[in-house]
Amino acid sequence: MNWFTTPLGAGGAHRVTVPGCRKVLVIVPSVVAGTRLFDLLPLLDSDFRVQTYFTLPEPDAATARFVSAAGGLVIGWEMALQHEFDLVLAASYRFIDRAPGPVLVLPHGAGSMKSRRRVRAAGPEAEPVHGLDRQMLTRDGKVQASAIVLSHDDELEVLAESCPEALPAAVVAGDICLDRMRASLPFREQYRRALGVEPGDTLVTISSTWTAESTFYQRPELYRELTGKARVAAVLHPNIWAVHGAWQVRSWLADCDVVVVPPEEGWRATMIASDVVIGDHGSTTQYAAAVGARVLLATCPDVRHGSLAYTISERVPRYTGDIAEAVAVPDFACLISSRLDRSGEILRAAMYRLLGIPEPAHAVPVSPVRHGR
């Protein structure tokens, strides 16, 4: 979009219909981050005091389509840096050192702490990290974010040890993604119908994160083997689609009788609809367990002791050919979030505190997830 047509452009004050708005900037470096950030935006709904802008620091076709499909007002990254914003929303620590305003950053998966023992790109000799390390949270000795969203009180304890100077910015807000999934549980049958699941059918979802340690690479035979046993859906990490391309993903699965769930939306509804989820160390497996699906592991690499993925690996059996061996993981939702069903109200309060205006009088919305098909 030509930035000169936006309220920020030259002469913008003469074009706007709603002047004087607080300005919110949403940094969308990827579809993964974008899907989580779009969970936050309904908290700003119906407020004529707020104008929201989107920017793509590393624009790619998939991310641009994702934001465009939502109707977001997009401005270029360099143009965004020429203006001050009242609130910047991010779901990654990338780029926030240059953010032109107070930043609220939240995790883009289950929990604020990584499951991997080391950063993938750093090599096997790198020091272990967990995602709340000082080197992640600070730049030039200064805490980068004004609000660091944590999902659980346990993470607050980790933060106090790893980067105590960041504690004033910490907001234990639970997990808004999980809260939306829990609010969507009454719509399970609708999601099943949208996926083409007939009454009495068993729906098995194969869930995969990205990289060569994932289900998609380690156990590709599952997409064919399971179709004779149940109705099968495939949930693939958006980075698989972004890196390899949608055509290639569909080509790889062309001879599999599976419902391939789009990367932008639909995975949450599919997890709710599923009878069994066969996954890996990715967040989708953890969310499936949190909403009561029976779970099996297709594969799992060496993960950080104490992480959510480690807990799954300890409690869930490996898939060896029998979906009847799938198990529920009791109380797993409480391991992801220590503020169950309260995330929206906590996050909205934090956002309006940074905006410097009172919260709206209406109740915080908690909307069910869409099925994406």
Side-chain angles (χ1 to χ4, degrees), residues 193-210:
R193 287 195 296 270
L195 291 164
V197 181
E198 299 293 337
D201 283 355
T202 297
L203 174 62
V204 176
T205 295
I206 306 170
S207 171
S208 179
T209 188
W210 61 304

Side-chain angles (χ1 to χ4, degrees), residues 245-321:
W247 179 89
Q248 185 63 73
V249 170
R250 294 191 178 99
S251 175
W252 279 327
L253 296 174
D255 65 342
C256 305
D257 184 19
V258 300
V259 178
V260 183
V261 179
E264 299 84 6
E265 185 58 278
W267 70 266
R268 293 181 285 196
T270 304
M271 295 301 165
I272 292 166
S274 298
D275 298 293
V276 174
V277 172
I278 302 177
D280 51 29
H281 59 291
S283 290
T284 50
T285 310
Q286 296 153 33
Y287 283 119
V291 294
R294 292 184 292 123
V295 183
L296 288 163
L297 276 178
T299 184
C300 188
D302 183 25
V303 291
R304 183 178 57 78
H305 186 90
S307 66
L308 293 170
Y310 181 85
T311 301
I312 288 284
S313 72
E314 289 286 290
R315 298 189 187 180
V316 171
R318 297 294 181 104
Y319 174 69
T320 58

Side-chain angles (χ1 to χ4, degrees), residues 312-337:
I312 288 284
S313 72
E314 289 286 290
R315 298 189 187 180
V316 171
R318 297 294 181 104
Y319 174 69
T320 58
D322 187 358
I323 60 174
E325 295 178 346
V327 299
V329 187
D331 301 321
F332 197 79
C334 295
L335 298 182
I336 293 179
S337 168

Side-chain angles (χ1 to χ4, degrees), residues 153-230:
D153 290 322
D154 291 348
E155 296 171 348
L156 193 65
E157 295 178 12
V158 173
L159 184 66
E161 182 176 345
S162 65
C163 189
E165 62 268 38
L167 282 175
V171 179
V172 182
D175 187 307
I176 194 167
C177 173
L178 177 57
D179 284 359
R180 289 194 66 199
M181 293 179 75
R182 285 166 57 87
S184 304
L185 290 172
F187 303 98
R188 183 173 189 267
E189 291 304 319
Q190 295 180 28
Y191 298 147
R192 287 172 68 84
R193 287 195 296 270
L195 291 164
V197 181
E198 299 293 337
D201 283 355
T202 297
L203 174 62
V204 176
T205 295
I206 306 170
S207 171
S208 179
T209 188
W210 61 304
T211 78
E213 296 175 325
S214 68
T215 300
F216 194 66
Y217 182 74
Q218 294 288 330
R219 300 292 300 275
E221 76 281 1
L222 296 183
Y223 298 93
R224 295 167 184 85
E225 287 181 6
L226 284 162
T227 54
K229 302 179 180 180

